[in-house]
Every structure is written in structure tokens, then in C-alpha cells.
């Protein structure tokens, strides 16, 4: 979880059994997109800096040296933990990168008038990525799926209300999301 005051926020890990929280990363105003690796040994997160630039990182669950990812913003792990899907710096494409090297192995270019792409989640089945986008033409929030090879893009939902945090269910058969009441 993230906690702190103003511009001094930190990333903490706390065991569910009630152990003391451990501060594993500190000193930034906006830490977001916290995602556990499938193995539970690492955490992916994104920082937004004062100048609005962003960087994503991977850090061991008990702290240590954070690995900066230079090729993506935001992101989610593949089911086996070897790849990460993240947004390109233009927020228009989805890059699939090797977790160990940050090397882009595939760029997926979704079809549509999106500005920008937002949140992502990788299906536990492994063949699809769920993404949230704002459609420029209609001004509506949309949830889409696309296969990891860039084919079979499918709109799941369109809504005038804000949508947040779309996630696949554990079995990959359902999609959950938060929706604004306004």
C-alpha cells in the first residue's frame, strides 16, 4: 500500500498476519498501479513526477534495488511472470516487454480513436489483455480485450460514467471494474 503526507509518499508491504509494515520505497508524491508479480516476490509500480513524467519500476517484495523500466508506463504481469504489458510513452500502444531485460518483444496497436489508453490487465489464461480507454470521438469510457498477438480486438463495455481498475477474475471468465456514480 501507499501512505504518506503530501510529496513524501512511501510504498509499504505488510503481511496479512499482522506483522509490522515494511517501507520498501519512499520519497515520491504519486506512487500508483501497484501489481504483485505472479510469484509474489516482486511488485510493479509507476511513479508520476512533479513535471508529470512517469516511470515504472519493479522492486523485491521486501525492498532492495528497484529496476527501472524505460519502455512502458503502467502495466501488468503475464501469468508466468516473464513478460509485462505496459502502455507506450504515447499511451496509444501496448508494449509487451521481457521482465528481465525491459526489451520490447511486441507492440500492440489497438484500433480506435483512443485518447489515451489507461489501465491494463493480462488474462490469467494468458492470451488476452484487457484495457481501458477513453474514445475521442464519443467521449465515452470503453473496456476492450485484445489478443496478445494484436488480433481479435473486442469492445466489452462503453459507458459515459468513469470506469476504473478493470481486472480479470482468477479463472479468466469474468471482468470486474469500478464505476463512478456521477
Amino acid at each position: 500500500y501507499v501512505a504518506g503526507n503530501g510529496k513524501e509518499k512511501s510504498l509499504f508491504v505488510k503481511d496479512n498476519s499482522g506483522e509490522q509494515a515494511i517501507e520498501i520505497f519512499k520519497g515520491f508524491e504519486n506512487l500508483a498501479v501497484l501489481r504483485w508479480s505472479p510469484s509474489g516476490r516482486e511488485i510493479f509500480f509507476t511513479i508520476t513526477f512533479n513535471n508529470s513524467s512517469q516511470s515504472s519500476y519493479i522492486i523485491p517484495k521486501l525492498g532492495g534495488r528497484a529496476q527501472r523500466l524505460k519502455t512502458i508506463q503502467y502495466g501488468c504481469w503475464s501469468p508466468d511472470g516473464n513478460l509485462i504489458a505496459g502502455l507506450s510513452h504515447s499511451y496509444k500502444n501496448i508494449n509487451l516487454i521481457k521482465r528481465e531485460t525491459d526489451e520490447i518483444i511486441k507492440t500492440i496497436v489497438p484500433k480506435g480513436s483512443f485518447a489515451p489508453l489507461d489501465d491494463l490487465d493480462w488474462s490469467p489464461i494468458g492470451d488476452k489483455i484487457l484495457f481501458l480507454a477513453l474514445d475521442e470521438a464519443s467521449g465515452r469510457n470503453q473496456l476492450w480485450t485484445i489478443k496478445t498477438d494484436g488480433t481479435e480486438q473486442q469492445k466489452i463495455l462503453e459507458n459515459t460514467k468513469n470506469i476504473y481498475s478493470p481486472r480479470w477474475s482468477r479463472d479468466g471468465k469474468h471482468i470486474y471494474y469500478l464505476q463512478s456514480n456521477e
Side-chain angles (χ1 to χ4, degrees):
Y1 65 92
V2 175
N5 299 324
K7 297 180 184 208
E8 289 294 320
K9 295 208 170 83
S10 296
L11 177 58
F12 292 87
V13 173
K14 183 175 181 179
D15 190 281
N16 287 335
S17 66
E19 299 291 327
Q20 179 71 25
I22 300 169
E23 182 180 51
I24 63 170
F25 199 85
K26 65 180 180 176
F28 291 94
E29 184 173 354
N30 190 350
L31 288 158
V33 192
L34 307 175
R35 297 289 189 97
W36 284 101
S37 66
S39 69
R41 291 191 300 255
E42 298 171 300
I43 302 167
F44 173 95
F45 63 96
T46 298
I47 295 173
T48 302
F49 299 98
N50 292 338
N51 64 2
S52 297
S53 67
Q54 295 178 321
S55 289
S56 293
Y57 297 85
I58 297 170
I59 193 166
K61 73 176 181 179
L62 296 178
R65 186 183 152 274
Q67 174 191 356
R68 181 172 180 233
L69 303 173
K70 297 176 183 169
T71 56
I72 60 170
Q73 308 302 321
Y74 298 93
C76 58
W77 299 85
S78 64
D80 65 7
N82 292 325
L83 301 176
I84 296 175
L87 300 178
S88 66
H89 292 282
S90 70
Y91 296 94
K92 300 281 186 182
N93 303 320
I94 300 167
N95 289 335
L96 304 183
I97 66 166
K98 289 183 180 179
R99 181 262 168 265
E100 292 295 327
T101 64
D102 194 24
E103 172 191 351
I104 297 172
I105 61 164
K106 173 93 177 148
T107 297
I108 300 169
V109 182
K111 294 175 181 76
S113 58
F114 305 124
L117 299 181
D118 198 353
D119 207 345
L120 302 168
D121 198 33
W122 203 311
S123 167
I125 297 168
D127 66 338
K128 289 185 181 179
I129 294 175
L130 171 67
F131 68 92
L132 174 62
L134 178 65
D135 183 69
E136 279 184 316
S138 70
R140 294 174 179 247
N141 292 286
Q142 299 176 338
L143 285 178
W144 293 82
T145 60
I146 193 166
K147 289 197 120 189
T148 53
D149 66 3
T151 64
E152 297 184 33
Q153 182 176 329
Q154 179 181 5
K155 188 188 314 180
I156 304 299
L157 174 74
E158 184 171 55
N159 201 323
T160 56
K161 296 183 178 183
N162 289 332
I163 298 170
Y164 307 97
S165 303
R167 300 291 182 264
W168 290 98
S169 62
R170 239 176 222 232
D171 63 7
K173 294 180 182 177
H174 301 88
I175 295 170
Y176 300 94
Y177 60 93
L178 300 173
Q179 176 181 295
S180 170
N181 286 331
E182 299 173 11

